[in-house]
Amino acid sequence: MKGLPKTYRYLVAALAFDLIVLAVHPGTGITLFRRTGSIVLEMLGVLPPIFVLLGLLEVWVPRETVIRFLGEKSGFVGISLSFLLGAAAAGPLYAAFPVAATMLRKGARFTNVLILLYAWSTLKLPMFLFETSALGADFSVTRMLINVPGIAALTWLTNLLVGRTEREAIYARYANQSGPAQ
Amino acid sequence: MFTVALYLLAAAATVISLTRDRKKTAKALRIASNSFLRILPDFGTVLALVGIMLTFLSPAIISAVLGRQSGLWGMLAAAVVGSTTLIPGFVAFPLAKSLLDCGAGVPQIAIFVSTLMMVGVVTAPLETKYFSKRVTFIRNGLSFLFSFLVAYVMGAIIR
């Protein structure tokens, strides 16, 4: 696999593995392709529209606006907006990464980006009823009540542990590129 | 539902943008497709790995492994499985329900659901690309520990 660009190497290896399984054990192979297909469909269900929205945001929303609502001095407004944006998402956490990237490039505060990531990963409000019907209200409500203060604590701790030098390095990297994701 | 809402939102925003400024809209769509295509090989790898994982670590196998576990070892097993797999929400909750039916306790289910959502070992390389190794390690590490807290509290409250 020497001639392949590094980024494609692992993908090709994984697909080769899939084909080998299909050849050796067709039954498992078919399950494998079916499962992979459903995962790909899930990805296509969230990522393309998110990238379109981020592209539009990139050209229409000036950096100053993002800084005003989500930046260093955005205070309670910034915290609430990041929290609500994260909580309203139902997709997998990886879909939050490009959103976070756009926030970082447009000058959002680091803690607000963390709030978005943590809220996105664990709150999933659109799935709340689904969680309740599967596991009961005791389970879903208790989990949410622990998660809300949990997100605040995790954000504070993560920000502290990441440290200023690392934060500045990340912002510097994003300042030198265009487009909603790298 | 979420997918439909997201696509409608993106379509409506694009149409509004088109009526205001064609050039800007074209630029926005170019930015969108470029950044999507740039990250696609990495996403493809993650999805292929998840497909393999879901096949060999199917919901049936997971519930067989975790269903009867209890105590701290059961929690640890649930946390490890939850952290390393990436299961869509609409599969995860019914799976958690079946674990509960198989005899797993509330703390084990809570830690499984929590790590499943918050900790992503397969997506870590992707997360590193967007942020950094340090941020990825800290976010996932803290989420892993936090899930144990969630499990203990939930186990104490729910009988």
Side-chain angles (χ1 to χ4, degrees):
Chain A
M1 279 193 254
K2 245 185 177 169
L4 281 173
K6 206 178 154 221
T7 31
Y8 287 99
R9 226 170 258 178
Y10 301 106
L11 180 58
V12 169
L15 291 178
F17 176 81
D18 290 359
L19 288 175
I20 291 169
V21 171
L22 188 67
V24 175
H25 201 292
T28 315
I30 288 167
T31 319
L32 187 49
F33 276 93
R34 205 170 278 161
R35 291 264 153 80
T36 309
S38 75
I39 290 289
V40 170
L41 278 182
E42 198 211 10
M43 184 277 279
L44 290 177
V46 277
L47 274 192
I50 283 184
F51 274 105
V52 168
L53 287 168
L54 290 176
L56 289 168
L57 202 125
E58 195 77 34
V59 299
W60 283 111
V61 183
R63 191 179 154 86
E64 293 70 40
T65 312
V66 176
I67 290 178
R68 183 146 58 94
F69 287 106
L70 296 166
E72 221 44 65
K73 289 180 190 144
S74 58
F76 184 69
V77 174
I79 293 172
S80 323
L81 275 177
S82 314
F83 185 82
L84 289 177
L85 192 62
L93 180 61
Y94 60 67
F97 299 157
V99 179
T102 302
M103 281 172 78
L104 286 169
R105 188 177 14 262
K106 289 268 184 184
R109 193 178 178 171
F110 195 70
T111 45
N112 286 340
V113 176
L114 291 176
I115 290 173
L116 171 103
L117 284 177
Y118 279 120
W120 189 306
S121 71
T122 193
L123 280 181
K124 302 204 194 296
L125 282 190
M127 297 207 85
F128 182 74
L129 284 180
F130 192 54
E131 181 178 351
T132 308
S133 68
L135 297 165
D138 276 359
F139 189 94
S140 58
V141 173
T142 315
R143 207 175 69 81
M144 186 154 73
L145 289 179
I146 304 168
N147 275 330
V148 174
I151 290 165
L154 285 168
T155 297
W156 176 77
L157 204 56
T158 309
N159 189 51
L160 195 76
L161 290 173
V162 167
R164 199 170 148 190
T165 333
E166 178 82 4
R167 272 199 304 274
E168 279 168 1
I170 293 171
Y171 278 108
R173 212 179 70 222
Y174 274 109
N176 298 325
Q177 43 164 263
S178 60
Q182 181 64 52
Chain B
M1 255 311 281
F2 184 64
T3 297
V4 174
L6 213 51
Y7 268 90
L8 281 178
L9 190 66
T14 309
V15 170
I16 292 169
S17 175
L18 265 176
T19 59
R20 301 279 294 274
D21 192 329
R22 290 190 89 142
K23 260 195 178 148
K24 262 187 162 177
T25 312
K27 194 183 167 201
L29 294 179
R30 207 164 45 238
I31 291 174
S33 69
N34 280 345
S35 38
F36 183 59
L37 292 176
R38 201 159 40 195
I39 203 70
L40 203 56
D42 296 282
F43 263 113
T45 310
V46 169
L47 300 179
L49 288 178
V50 171
I52 292 170
M53 210 165 240
L54 279 182
T55 307
F56 294 99
L57 208 67
S58 66
I61 295 172
I62 292 177
S63 57
V65 172
L66 296 183
R68 281 190 209 137
Q69 303 274 354
S70 60
L72 189 61
W73 285 114
M75 283 170 69
L76 211 55
V80 168
V81 175
S83 302
T84 44
T85 46
L86 199 156
I87 302 175
F90 58 88
V91 181
F93 289 124
L95 171 59
K97 170 83 170 76
S98 80
L99 286 177
L100 210 55
D101 296 339
C102 285
V106 169
Q108 285 77 29
I109 302 304
I111 207 163
F112 176 68
V113 169
S114 192
T115 50
L116 200 57
M117 289 177 159
M118 300 182 82
V119 186
V121 171
V122 274
T123 51
L126 203 61
E127 194 172 345
T128 305
K129 267 209 150 168
Y130 275 105
F131 308 101
S132 69
K133 259 200 184 117
R134 193 181 160 96
V135 171
T136 305
F137 182 75
I138 293 172
R139 195 199 63 76
N140 283 286
L142 287 179
S143 297
F144 188 83
L145 296 176
F146 174 70
S147 301
F148 278 87
L149 182 74
V150 173
Y152 268 113
V153 176
M154 289 186 67
I157 291 178
I158 304 169
R159 292 281 151 205

